[in-house]
Every structure is written in C-alpha cells, then in structure tokens.
Amino acid sequence: MSDLIRMTGLNSGLDTESIISAYTSKATKRVTDAKNSLTKNKWTQTAWQDLNKKIYSFYANTLSTNRLSTAYSKQKVTTSNSALSVVAGKSAVNGIQSARIEQQATAAYLTGSKVDIKKGDEKLTEKLGIAEGSTITLRKADNSTVDITIGSGEGQVNTMDKLTAAIKKAGFNANFDAGNQRLFISGKDTGKANDFSFEGDITALAKLGIASADQLSTLPDATGYKAASKIDGQNAMLELNGAMFESNTNTFTINGSTYTINAMPADKNEMISVTTSADYDAVYDVVKDMLKEYNDLINEMSKLYNADSSKGYEPLTDEQKEAMTEKEIEDWENKIKDSLLRNDDTLFGVMDAMTSTMNKGINVGGKNMYLADFGIATLGYFSSEKNERYALHIDGDSDDSATAGNKDKLKTMIASDPETVTKFFSQLSGELYKNLYAKMGSSSMSSIYKVYNDKQLATEEKDWEKKIAELEQKVSDMEDKYYDRFASMEKAIANLNGKQTAVSGMLGYSN
C-alpha cells in the first residue's frame, strides 16, 4: 500500500480518499486477515514450543532415568555416632558394618610468634634486623623446596607483604596479621601431602617468628625469641570391618560408598555401627515425583485441548490497541492464545499416547499388572475437575486430599515386594519413553524431539509472509489505479472550469 501523500478532490470537491478506501476495502480486508493468520501462526509456534519443552524434559530426564531398575535401588545408611556419616553406593550390601575413627585429616597450620612489626610494608632488614641476603627455605611434603631470600635485591623480599606473596606463590595460604603481629601459614588442603616446614637461616626464621622449638635450641643465644606453633598435616584413618583405610581428606570412597568423618568421637576406641538398608521412602518418592510430572503435563494438555472458543476474537490492529488499556490488550490476546491448541489433532495424539500407556497392563512374573494394583488411579469422570480427569492419584498420599484417607497400597508393595514394584514401574516408564519417542520422530513436517509439526508451521509462516507482501502490492496497485483515474477527472474538471471562466469573461467584456 502506498505511503504517498496525495492532494485530491480540489476541483471536484469529492472525498477521494474515502471513495478509494471503499473501493479497496475488500482487498485491504484480505491483507488484515492474512496478517492475523501470520500472528496466530507465530503464537501457535510459541505455544507448542513451550509445551514441547516440558514434554521433552519429562521424556529425557524423568522417564529416561526411571526406565532403569537402578532408579529404584535406593538405600539409606544410619550410623550409631554422628561423627561418621555414610552415603550408600550402588554396590552397597544391606547389613551392619563396624567402623572406628583412628584420626581426622588436618591441614598443616603454622601460627608465628609475635614480631616487632606492625605494618606489612615495613622493611624486614630494618625493623627485625635480618641480614641482607639471608635465605629461608620452604620445604614441601614431597621434599621439593622453594628458597626465599630476604633483602632489597632483585627477586628478593623485604616486607611481610612480599614474604606472604612468595609463600602463596609456592602453593600455600599465608597472611600477616598486623594487629597481632604474627604470620599465619597453612596448607590449602588437608593431609600429609600438603604439609610444609621451614629451613635455612635459623636466625632469620627466629626473627620472623616461624622457627620451631628445635631450631631455636640450636642458636647460641635464643633469648627474646619464641617458637612458632605448628600443627602438622595428617591423613584421616578409618578402620572398617577390621581393615584400616587412609585418606588425605576426611572423605573415603570404599566399595562404592562414601564415608565422611565429621568429628573425633569422645572415645577414640568406640566402635561405630553402620547400618545399610533399603530406603522405601526414597523409592516411593521416585514413583510419586514421576506421577506428579505426568499429572502436570496431562492437565496442561487437557486445558489446552478443552479451551473455550475464541470465535469473534482476532489479533488487534495498532489503531485498536491505541483505544485500549494494557490490561484489556493482554486479556484480549490471551483469549486467542489460550485457544490456539483447542481440539488440536496433534495434541490429542500425544495425550492419547500418554493415557493409553498409563492404562496399559505390564507383565511382571507372568502376570499382567496395572497401576490400580498399586493403589494408583484417576478419580473418575464426575469426581474430578474438567481438565484433571486423566490425573493419577496415589491412595494414602498425605499430600493429596482426595485420596489421603485411603489405604496405602504402594508403600505396602514397596516394603513387601520391592522387586515387583521395580519391574513394573521401570517397564511402565520404558513404555511411556518409547511411545513419546515415536511422537518425537523426525519427518518431513517435524524435527527430531518435537511432538508437533514445527517444520510445517515454519513453512506456513513464510508462506503467510509472502502472501501478505503480494496482497499489499495488489492493494497498492489498485490505489494507484484509482488515484490516476481521479487525477484525470480532476484535470478534466479543471480544464472545463478554465474554459467556463474564459467564456464568462468574454461575455462580461462584450457587455
């Protein structure tokens, strides 16, 4: 449609704009309808993308995990003393073990004695009287060493700030507490492998406050010096069933299970019992969580499929939006968006695949079993809300007001026959996984892992964009044609008016 500004009707007095608008109204209506269809197409793609994301998450995460029997192999471990905690591994065997904590892992830690320095940038040679060129050696647990030379020469350190920087560079924590006038140095991790010691010029070590008592004893005159306090880094040691295990941290991985020392018992010789047993509550939660996700999905799909009609509602034009509030615009557009998947055949197909699978019998040990055998069923057509008729409820579920008072068959089955529960729900999850995958298969109209025809919708979007351009060009051509005709008419009227004026002038002159 043309954006030209035309001056029309000057001679005829006609409202040319309105007349041409009336002539092109049907063609303009076709443009508006096409634009509305394009808008609905885009909104439909968004609606499907949001829903597909949830379906795929259920498929790829929950069902992918729950179809494996290991998802139901849940165990819990209790210990007779909280000083030791245990997380059961996949290979853990139910039973009672005996453990004893020999020692905790500790980090090497050195607390220096007080020195006559109150600022980190004060000169060590001046304030502490350390001789230029004195070298101290930081020895690591692997016997590698780092030499640090005190002085003002290149590569040397002459302040506490530079000394701590050098120690940090060697791989340890270091800080000078100016308020307490002490060096604090520690290993970054626990264990003997992260221990350290200082050697070299003992006088320099003494003046820095990091010499040991043994080192001070070698000085001819150690008056005025105090030894640093040092805790050696040590490994944790745990005795389990008579065998001793060692770790540089307080965590051990033994036969797939994780043992963590939290503290030393009051009695080092205390034997701690470690009891591993089936975690029935965890298995129940696996089933309950899966059903909750299923219910959330099937309820949302039911709501979309059963949505009210939006007949009479079309996307708003810019002019219409100008006359409405933001809330009115939002409500109007939501009315359309909420109905986009109403009675959608593709959506029905996904819903049918899911509900049919959940109603299917699963062969366990030669016997067909159903969800109802585990106390799981829908509430019934008249007992549930319109869009919750496919939702599944667990008898005895304390979080479900509709079935909380019923006998809990699922928990009873998990406790009495966990193998049957595992086989049933892993197979059921596998069936649903397989059937959803069938809906997500790639085709000429859809991409892989999409339950809707995303390729088709994308093609339709491009088709609408092309059609709109063609229709707009037609309207523009029509407008140009009518404007040309009215322009010719205006020119003719102008010529006629000119001749009439000339004749009138002549007649007036002759009189």
Side-chain angles (χ1 to χ4, degrees), residues 70-333:
T70 51
Y72 308 89
S73 301
K74 304 293 183 180
Q75 292 175 303
K76 62 180 178 181
V77 182
T78 57
T79 61
S80 60
N81 191 321
S82 60
L84 180 68
S85 58
V86 184
V87 176
K90 294 180 180 179
S91 57
V93 177
N94 290 346
I96 300 176
Q97 301 181 83
S98 180
R100 185 181 66 83
I101 299 173
E102 175 67 23
Q103 64 182 34
Q104 279 186 284
T106 58
Y109 205 104
L110 183 148
T111 302
S113 60
K114 190 173 182 179
V115 295
D116 190 23
I117 285 185
K118 295 183 178 180
K119 294 181 181 179
D121 59 356
E122 291 181 317
K123 302 296 184 183
L124 301 177
T125 51
E126 295 175 6
K127 291 292 292 183
L128 298 180
I130 299 176
E132 284 272 352
S134 299
T135 299
I136 63 172
T137 300
L138 174 61
R139 184 176 294 279
K140 301 180 183 181
D142 62 1
N143 273 331
S144 63
T145 58
V146 176
D147 290 335
I148 302 172
T149 301
I150 311 298
S152 54
E154 184 178 352
Q156 298 179 346
V157 303
N158 199 20
T159 65
M160 283 297 193
D161 289 342
K162 289 185 178 180
L163 176 60
T164 56
I167 295 171
K168 287 178 181 179
K169 186 177 180 180
F172 296 88
N173 299 317
N175 179 59
F176 177 66
D177 184 341
N180 289 295
Q181 299 172 256
R182 295 170 185 265
L183 274 169
F184 292 89
I185 304 166
S186 66
K188 287 189 174 180
D189 296 298
T190 58
K192 289 191 297 186
N194 299 294
D195 201 355
F196 64 91
S197 62
F198 284 101
E199 304 172 358
D201 190 318
I202 297 176
T203 300
L205 293 175
K207 291 180 177 182
L208 290 169
I210 56 175
S212 67
D214 288 343
Q215 288 170 331
L216 289 180
S217 68
T218 64
L219 290 177
D221 182 9
T223 305
Y225 298 126
K226 290 186 177 180
S229 174
K230 170 77 182 336
I231 297 174
D232 293 336
Q234 69 176 20
N235 289 346
M237 298 187 71
L238 177 69
E239 180 184 331
L240 182 65
N241 301 326
M244 189 66 75
F245 296 88
E246 187 171 354
S247 171
N248 63 346
T249 71
N250 284 304
T251 299
F252 300 75
T253 299
I254 303 172
N255 195 28
S257 294
T258 303
Y259 298 75
T260 301
I261 298 175
N262 303 309
M264 280 299 297
D267 180 3
K268 179 180 176 181
N269 295 315
E270 177 186 351
M271 300 306 296
I272 301 172
S273 62
V274 180
T275 305
T276 304
S277 59
D279 191 344
Y280 299 137
D281 288 336
V283 176
Y284 180 89
D285 288 341
V286 169
V287 176
K288 181 177 176 177
D289 291 345
M290 181 191 76
L291 293 180
K292 182 182 183 304
E293 285 190 60
Y294 170 86
N295 288 343
D296 289 344
L297 262 181
I298 204 68
N299 288 347
E300 181 173 350
M301 288 190 280
S302 295
K303 182 180 178 181
L304 293 170
Y305 187 81
N306 297 321
D308 294 334
S309 171
S310 61
K311 185 177 181 181
Y313 286 77
E314 291 294 336
L316 298 166
T317 63
D318 292 338
E319 292 79 8
Q320 288 172 321
K321 288 181 179 180
E322 288 176 2
M324 301 170 69
T325 65
E326 289 187 6
K327 182 66 167 59
E328 288 172 335
I329 294 171
E330 182 182 0
D331 290 344
W332 183 283
E333 292 186 343

Side-chain angles (χ1 to χ4, degrees), residues 50 346 456:
D50 292 344
T346 301
Q456 179 183 349

Side-chain angles (χ1 to χ4, degrees), residues 52 56 59 433 437 439-442 447-452:
N52 191 87
Y56 179 75
Y59 160 84
Y433 180 87
Y437 178 77
K439 291 293 180 183
M440 293 181 175
S442 178
S447 306
I448 189 68
Y449 300 127
K450 299 289 190 298
V451 296
Y452 66 103

